[in-house]
Amino acid sequence: MTDTGVAADPAAPPGSPQGTGTGTGVLGKPYRALSIGIVSVVLLIAFEATAVGTAMPVAARELHGVSLYAFAFSGYFTTSLFGMVLSGQWADRRGPLGPLATGISLFAAGLLLSGTAGSMWLFIAGRAVQGLGGGLVIVALYVIVGRAYPEHLRPSIMAAFAASWVVPSVVGPLVAGTVTEHLGWRWVFVGIPVLVAAPLVLALPAIRRTASGPVYPDAPVAAFDRRRIRLALGISLGAGLLQYAGQDLRWLSLLPAAAGAAVLVPAVLGLLPKGTYRAARGLPSVVLLRGVAAGSFIAAESFVPLMLVSRRGLSPTMAGLSLAVGGATWALGSYVQSRPRMEPHRSRLVALGMVLVSAAILTVSTVLIEAVPVWIVGVAWGFGCFGMGMVIASTSVLLLRLSPPADAGSNSAALQISDGLSNVLLLAVGGAAFAALGGGTAGAAHGAGEAAGSHPGAFVAVFLPMAAVALVGAWVGTRLKERTVRGADVRRV
């Protein structure tokens, strides 16, 4: 027992702070500087996501690239897949400080490249650089949480991550919309990098004190697993080829599609836990659920502002604000799952969350009918984000619980690969359906009268399949617990 009266974490590696100070919360003295620092990093990412999403429809239209609209999102996720694997190995071997600092720097550089782009493809290249940085950052943050916080505090820090989206979700669309309308969309991208300094100043010293270096400092540092690096490159290359084929929509596109699948499938099987594709109980289902949830939600959400601008004639500011309530409800959902009394009901919370996501996507699609009021989007997305808050935080908590300290980086990378890969693939599918049904003409609309010329079926082809995928996630959520035989856990992998 520690002097706080709380048992130390028996899984904590030597030298880890997990065994001390466990009687305090995430803002207690042992964790205050670290918590504020890493939450500030998430705050930056949140502000970028909400602001860029608001400016994206205008950027795509001015760069004559609405037919490539999905690329602007999935290009980010494609390169982040490689960044996640690299970050997992880097963090496990040398600590999370290096990948976090490098990732934030690349994140800022990608924003500057997109903000100064003169063509849609250069804009997408900037998003790709940004994605590489984002992949490094997100896995490093998970490793920091796994090393620096005892298990009973991890749900709380995950809830704090979710809460850090609340202010950006409200302020981000308003600021980005105002800047886009009065100064131009480019200022949204080139203005965000100035915010990078604050998270670096806050987070890096605290991480250096509490979570830097290898898990076991006295053990020899293992070399990077070159096979996993090659598999990560295979995932990024395969996902990129499939995405390109989905946007090109010609018979010749079957060639890059086949090549992409041939590279992608073995790479995925090699990097994700065995049994992930068949929802084996325990860790494989946790990883699969993360992908199903994130992919269906992001693929649908990416097209909501475009639908509101092009079909209902909303300004970029109003289109972004229609999703703003989601930040608060996402944080509320994450808070609900963090309550100790909810721990026995985590599987049911997750299944309920996925049902809410599916219902939200279906409801949003009804706004394509002129008689349906636009405010329905805000209400529906609020419920959907509440569900996502429960699901995403729960999968993060379960992942760390099922991971030995030395494998936290690799398993966190697997979780984020599932997240990012699902985003890429479902955005590619949705983008292909959108383009095939004439969605590329949507960006030409700027007012309500012009918006009527775009085909609503292009948006329906995105929303309905994503709602179905979310329902599959509700079933996967019933398989997160490992079977127990005579009191011992048995991993069905």
Side-chain angles (χ1 to χ4, degrees):
M1 300 289 287
T2 68
D3 57 6
T4 62
V6 179
D9 184 353
S16 167
Q18 295 187 53
T20 62
T22 55
T24 62
V26 295
L27 290 179
K29 188 175 180 180
Y31 306 107
R32 186 180 301 133
L34 177 63
S35 297
I36 293 174
I38 61 177
V39 168
S40 296
V41 174
V42 177
L43 189 70
L44 168 67
I45 295 173
F47 186 79
E48 179 276 336
T50 55
V52 168
T54 301
M56 195 74 77
V58 178
R61 184 174 63 241
E62 291 190 5
L63 293 174
H64 307 290
V66 174
S67 62
L68 301 174
Y69 185 77
F71 263 127
F73 291 96
S74 55
Y76 176 100
F77 296 117
T78 299
T79 54
S80 70
L81 295 171
F82 176 73
M84 291 167 188
V85 175
L86 179 61
S87 183
Q89 294 209 27
W90 192 348
D92 281 344
R93 287 158 176 76
R94 303 186 183 279
L97 188 62
L100 181 69
T102 303
I104 292 177
S105 300
L106 287 172
F107 193 81
L111 282 166
L112 290 173
L113 180 57
S114 290
T116 56
S119 68
M120 191 62 178
W121 282 112
L122 190 58
F123 179 89
I124 292 169
R127 293 284 290 166
V129 173
Q130 190 184 344
L132 179 60
L136 291 170
V137 168
I138 192 64
V139 171
L141 287 176
Y142 273 68
V143 175
I144 292 167
V145 171
R147 290 195 188 185
Y149 295 89
E151 183 174 330
H152 76 279
L153 287 182
R154 292 172 191 165
S156 296
I157 193 64
M158 292 301 175
F161 283 174
S164 67
W165 282 77
V166 175
V167 173
S169 68
V170 176
V171 176
L174 180 61
V175 172
T178 302
V179 170
T180 298
E181 292 176 29
H182 295 284
L183 298 177
W185 63 267
R186 295 182 185 276
W187 286 99
V188 175
F189 288 84
V190 300
I192 293 176
V194 301
L195 303 175
V196 168
L200 285 174
V201 170
L202 285 168
L204 297 188
I207 295 169
R208 186 177 291 111
R209 291 193 303 270
T210 60
S212 62
V215 176
Y216 301 102
D218 297 332
V221 177
F224 277 75
D225 188 336
R226 295 182 180 180
R227 175 179 173 273
R228 290 184 66 86
I229 297 296
R230 288 195 300 269
L231 292 175
L233 285 171
I235 283 183
S236 294
L237 176 61
L241 288 171
L242 285 173
Q243 184 185 346
Y244 174 80
Q247 294 292 301
D248 197 23
L249 298 180
R250 294 183 299 170
W251 284 109
L252 287 176
S253 299
L254 293 175
L255 294 178
V263 173
L264 182 66
V265 172
V268 170
L269 293 177
L271 286 175
L272 297 186
K274 185 179 179 181
T276 298
Y277 72 96
R278 56 183 173 85
R281 289 187 176 274
L283 183 63
S285 283
V286 171
V287 172
L288 177 61
L289 177 62
R290 181 57 164 262
V292 170
S296 59
F297 182 84
I298 293 298
E301 185 182 54
S302 299
F303 284 87
V304 172
L306 185 64
M307 176 190 71
L308 294 175
V309 170
S310 64
R311 287 295 306 173
R312 300 302 295 265
L314 269 64
S315 67
T317 302
M318 294 306 298
L321 285 174
S322 67
L323 305 178
V325 70
T329 58
W330 188 305
L332 179 60
S334 186
Y335 172 80
V336 167
Q337 67 79 37
S338 73
R339 298 299 85 198
R341 68 173 66 96
M342 292 297 178
E343 186 59 39
H345 311 293
R346 190 173 294 279
S347 293
R348 275 181 278 183
L349 286 177
V350 167
L352 172 62
M354 293 310 303
V355 171
L356 289 175
V357 171
S358 180
I361 297 172
L362 287 173
T363 303
V364 163
S365 67
T366 65
V367 177
L368 290 164
I369 303 171
E370 291 292 332
V372 177
V374 173
W375 57 262
I376 290 293
V377 170
V379 175
W381 219 242
F383 280 100
C385 287
F386 178 79
M388 284 295 289
M390 293 192 294
V391 172
I392 297 301
S394 291
T395 54
S396 301
V397 170
L398 290 168
L399 184 281
L400 293 174
R401 180 179 302 164
L402 294 170
S403 299
D407 295 333
S410 296
N411 286 344
S412 295
L415 187 77
Q416 297 302 326
I417 287 170
S418 178
D419 186 317
L421 181 61
S422 180
N423 286 334
V424 171
L425 295 180
L426 292 181
L427 274 168
V429 170
F434 182 76
L437 293 177
T441 62
H446 193 63
E450 293 170 307
S454 58
H455 201 291
F459 292 100
V460 173
V462 175
F463 294 139
L464 293 188
M466 298 310 135
V469 172
L471 276 181
V472 172
W475 171 76
V476 178
T478 65
R479 301 180 60 78
L480 304 182
K481 290 184 178 180
E482 298 173 339
R483 292 192 184 278
T484 57
V485 178
R486 295 180 181 177
D489 285 341
V490 179
R491 295 189 177 184
R492 305 273 309 268
V493 298

